[in-house]
Amino acid sequence: MRVTREDVAREASVSTATVSYVLNNTHHLSEETRSRVMKAVEKLGYKPDMIAKSMATNKTHQLAIVMDSLLNPYYGEIAIGFENAAVQEGYFINICSGQNNLDAYFDSFIGRRLDGILLLALPDKFHIENLYRLINSGVKIIMSDIDDIDVSRVSMLDNNYYEGMKLAFEHLYNLGHREIVYLDVMQAQPGYQKVNYREKAFFECRKKYLADSNKDNIVSFSQAGLNHIEKGFNAAQRLIASGRTFTAVICTNDLVAIGAINAFTDAGISVPRDVSVVGFDNIVYGKSWEPAITSVYHDKMEFGKKAFDILNNNINNNITGFYKADVMLYKGASTAPPPARK
Amino acid sequence: MRVTREDVAREASVSTATVSYVLNNTHHLSEETRSRVMKAVEKLGYKPDMIAKSMATNKTHQLAIVMDSLLNPYYGEIAIGFENAAVQEGYFINICSGQNNLDAYFDSFIGRRLDGILLLALPDKFHIENLYRLINSGVKIIMSDIDDIDVSRVSMLDNNYYEGMKLAFEHLYNLGHREIVYLDVMQAQPGYQKVNYREKAFFECRKKYLADSNKDNIVSFSQAGLNHIEKGFNAAQRLIASGRTFTAVICTNDLVAIGAINAFTDAGISVPRDVSVVGFDNIVYGKSWEPAITSVYHDKMEFGKKAFDILNNNINNNITGFYKADVMLYKGASTAPPPARK
DNA sequence: TTGAAAGCGTTACCAG
DNA sequence: CTGGTAACGCTTTCAA
């Protein structure tokens, strides 16, 4: 049923080895032989079997992108950038939704002999020791936002949202805001590690700029089964209900910002007149929101492309790499000077 | 470096065959042997090599989801439903963004020996003959929205948006709308086939309900490089500029509806006061839009799960299947009775 | 410049 | 109940 290289060899009256040489351009052959083989390939519609090839070469030319969410277009855009670059180099891409616990995936990555992984999910969804087991099995990794990891073995991808948080904070500060709240909805499952550079950056900014720097102005809200918009909505409602005063909120991403804006609007709080809102990621929908969401961002396509380049280099030359995204601020219509004090 | 079945066999003092029997539960073995093998597996941290397994069994346990877009959460939700079900059955999932031409992917599906494909993209992105070549190579397919295909060889997935269009139309008609426009942004590349059941359903409804049934009330707009929100925005602007009268628009999906609403708002046309807008898919963001978008939809998670069940049955028992989604109408705030005539 | 054959890690048939 | 071994489709070393 399947056309094999042997069929091609027979058709072209050469050996199977010769067919390989032609297809992989790995030997010098007479033009005559080469064309005879190509003709046979064409005629039989032969497609090399990558499984067998993987078996022989110990490379699968298969990479996985581990998403944090298939519903947030932020990751989608990165994935597109990554995939475009990877396909060009003959890789096959595998995308794992971040719905489930990732530990089980890690095992299958070893079994599937993946050449490399773009790990977009944070360690709040997997155990570090499983990551190391993956690395020890020869799977190359590129990931971001993790401390205490041996960078000689793992490539790093810095989205630079630590600096981004400062950008957001300073933007608000310069507009005149002095009561700024950070809305976070990330939460690690029990037993998992939470890393959040944005929170750290927020603390720093608060200390530097705000007088009452000890004020508890981070609102966290997370509930299983809710999407980020809903979590943002709930977090903002909780903030409103708390009675604390604020003139601006920074949201952990644009989806959360959208939810928050909805909650404010529902409560009769106008954005940006009464409250300014900043998001992260500058997702494709954030710009079209009403009001367009002011957002910290980087070039997501480029980010994906860079991720691939580094990973590919890691795979081929066993050299880990590092990338730091240029972080920028998109000034939408969701931020404005705070309302005048009465 | 890699722990193989042979290492396990040596450790447990059995043959490699026995290890297979234990791991695959395919023979009856003495409890003693079984536990000795398991202990060795555990001790060595052995992970079966799926590549070699595929080689021997001629099954990869690998499926692909061909997305139409990684940026539309509609597909994301379907993918999640599909993946959840598939992972449970030991499959590995591969997601291809619909960014690029799909014909090249089809070739690699053969080379990668994929067991099956969930094809979410329409034939405006690939050539039918390549689909057939895929089928002939033994790859099972489940897909929707295509005419003239041999259903004994391909499983079908009906999202029932043909009926959905009627639902949308009747909803508007019952509200009192008599000037309804359909906003479409899909466009096949030259040389590719365009199928659009919604358009057909729209024609039918128009004929049945509207007096001036010959009126040209479909606005198409498509431009490479724009996302669906932008296309919807442009299409609506074009509609406004055309000067034709209308009280309601049906948009080909929610993203287009969002873009259209933005264009209307920008032009001082209030939704739903002046114009009603209906979308399709009821994506997670549509509900949170202001106004919440009235939308035709089905259960997307369930859709993905059903898709997997049918595909899996196709793979294991060589029986194609058919699924018809229950289509519903989410009544948001973007539709209302038309403004009173002056 | 070309070919023969070993090897990659499994499975599954056939013996014992 | 257990083991030996051919087979899967390809690459690659070694020899001719």
Side-chain angles (χ1 to χ4, degrees), chain A residues 5 20-21 24 46 49:
Chain A
R5 203 197 31 172
S20 273
Y21 299 151
N24 301 327
Y46 168 70
D49 185 330

Side-chain angles (χ1 to χ4, degrees), chain B residues 49-94:
Chain B
D49 184 329
M50 295 303 288
I51 301 290
K53 184 169 184 157
S54 299
M55 194 74 195
T57 59
N58 199 26
K59 283 213 174 198
T60 55
H61 270 262
Q62 194 158 176
L63 309 175
I65 305 177
V66 178
M67 304 277 265
D68 188 73
S69 163
L70 270 172
L71 302 180
N72 188 340
Y74 171 70
Y75 297 106
E77 239 180 284
I78 293 175
I80 290 170
F82 184 88
E83 191 192 18
N84 283 170
V87 164
Q88 219 143 16
E89 294 293 319
Y91 284 96
F92 201 51
I93 305 301
N94 194 289

Side-chain angles (χ1 to χ4, degrees), chain B residues 74 161 164-165 167-168 171-172 198 249-255 257-258 277-287 291-298 300 327-335:
Chain B
Y74 171 70
Y161 276 171
M165 176 58 91
L167 231 51
H171 169 65
L172 291 172
R198 290 174 231 184
V249 299
I250 297 175
C251 301
T252 202
N253 68 33
D254 282 0
L255 296 176
I258 285 172
V277 174
V278 179
F280 274 75
D281 299 345
N282 197 27
I283 58 174
V284 63
Y285 309 138
K287 278 175 281 197
I293 295 165
T294 294
S295 190
V296 174
Y297 75 107
H298 58 246
K300 295 172 278 294
V327 67
M328 297 162 281
L329 183 73
Y330 169 78
K331 293 183 184 169
S334 66
T335 47

Side-chain angles (χ1 to χ4, degrees), chain A residues 222-236:
Chain A
S222 190
Q223 187 180 308
L226 296 187
N227 64 49
H228 276 187
I229 293 184
E230 292 164 337
K231 285 179 183 173
F233 187 88
N234 279 283

Side-chain angles (χ1 to χ4, degrees), chain A residues 179-181 215 239 242-247:
Chain A
E179 296 187 283
I180 303 172
V181 174
K215 195 169 168 188
L239 170 60
S242 76
R244 77 184 83 184
T245 59
F246 60 95
T247 63

